[in-house]
Amino acid sequence: MTRMRIAAVLVWTLMACAVVRAQEQDFSKVQIKVTKVAGNIYMLEGAGGNIAASVGEDGIVIVDDQYAPLADKIQAALKDLKITDKPVRFVINTHYHGDHTGGNEPFANTGSTVIAQDNVRKRLETGGVAGNGGSLKMEAKPASKGALPIITFEHDVTVHLNGEDIRALHFPAGHTDGDAVIFFPKNNVVHMGDDFVRYGFPFIDVASGGSVQGMIAAMDKVSGQLPADVKVIPGHGGLSNLDDVRAFVTMLKETSAVVQKGIDQHRTVAQMQQEKILEPWKKWSGGFINSDQFIETLYNSLTGKPGQFVQHN
Ligand SMILES: [Zn+2]
């Protein structure tokens, strides 16, 4: 019953999101595609956010877990690698959204320990409204107890398994206020969560404490620290590299500057939309977030008119 309810909520969230417009959504048809990224790190794509997996002699650690109805398929895909019979010991959530945490409960039920930043647990527990601080609103129902992360961290946490120091580092106020970027330093791989996505203009959950300023700061900092040849797993979209991240950050900076100029000139959101001020970046529009929605997102972010923030404590 609980699982059914969660599934229904998630499907609703998914449709509201339109993140994954390709999946009008029958999870029974979803197949899990597994890509070897480097060494013992794999990327799993099905529906929802990308999964990173460290698969080795100590067992399995995954980053994000898509949707509850896919948990069995994800487990099967990991087993099919024939590297280990050991279970998924840890699940690390990059942020609280249902397309990244929907599998928490089934994974916890089969023995995994779920780890996330403090604010992820808070937001899963209370539920709330995700959105861009304006017209874009998506209800997130409170998660059941079994879906809540058991271990939370404020700043960072490291999982020492498979000969690697898998590190989750919190970046405040980017896509949400609970984002973590996950580093696999030995294998030279990073999972960015939704602070870096490939579907065009990003969804920035201003209503959940996100901001474009935080997203830019996070991606600038991360890309400045990583080796040039690091393999980048985006929250959504194909395997990427640092040049892709830099192009994304450049777009965020340029579009923010244009909207800031409009704000300085006392233009309203509607005026900026009418003036089509993001026309030069139109190739980024429409994957999930169109130009008008992104103008509104940037305006709300830059004028600090968010929803209620959960303070980073
Ligand atoms: Zn998200």
Side-chain angles (χ1 to χ4, degrees), residues 255-272:
T255 53
S256 294
V258 167
V259 170
Q260 184 60 54
K261 196 171 152 210
I263 293 167
D264 293 344
Q265 293 168 346
H266 308 290
R267 296 263 206 288
T268 64
V269 170
Q271 284 169 331
M272 291 190 236

Side-chain angles (χ1 to χ4, degrees), residues 172-222:
H175 176 63
T176 69
D177 60 7
D179 305 335
V181 170
I182 320 298
F183 300 88
F184 301 91
K186 189 184 78 176
N187 285 292
N188 199 21
V189 176
V190 62
H191 189 312
M192 297 293 198
D194 279 0
D195 274 331
F196 170 60
V197 293
R198 299 304 305 272
Y199 54 68
F201 290 138
F203 171 50
I204 300 174
D205 190 349
V206 180
S208 304
S211 71
V212 69
Q213 302 96 310
M215 192 178 260
I216 291 170
M219 290 301 95
D220 261 348
K221 191 161 188 194
V222 169

Side-chain angles (χ1 to χ4, degrees), residues 80-204:
D80 278 354
L81 291 169
K82 301 202 186 327
I83 295 168
T84 180
D85 281 333
K86 293 189 177 151
V88 175
R89 294 176 62 179
F90 296 97
V91 174
I92 307 173
N93 294 149
T94 60
H95 63 291
Y96 86 97
H97 289 151
D99 54 331
H100 298 255
T101 59
N104 279 8
E105 184 158 36
F107 275 97
N109 286 344
T110 49
S112 309
T113 299
V114 179
I115 304 174
Q117 207 275 336
D118 296 338
N119 288 336
V120 173
R121 185 179 158 103
K122 284 185 197 165
R123 290 196 178 279
L124 282 173
E125 195 166 26
T126 60
V129 178
N132 70 346
S135 60
L136 205 60
K137 288 195 178 98
M138 292 154 246
E139 190 189 357
K141 292 258 161 65
S144 58
K145 184 165 173 275
L148 299 178
I150 294 292
I151 296 178
T152 64
F153 61 94
E154 180 186 347
H155 180 266
D156 69 302
V157 70
T158 305
V159 175
H160 304 271
L161 271 187
N162 296 333
E164 187 152 47
D165 305 325
I166 303 164
R167 182 165 182 246
L169 178 60
H170 175 51
F171 286 89
H175 176 63
T176 69
D177 60 7
D179 305 335
V181 170
I182 320 298
F183 300 88
F184 301 91
K186 189 184 78 176
N187 285 292
N188 199 21
V189 176
V190 62
H191 189 312
M192 297 293 198
D194 279 0
D195 274 331
F196 170 60
V197 293
R198 299 304 305 272
Y199 54 68
F201 290 138
F203 171 50
I204 300 174

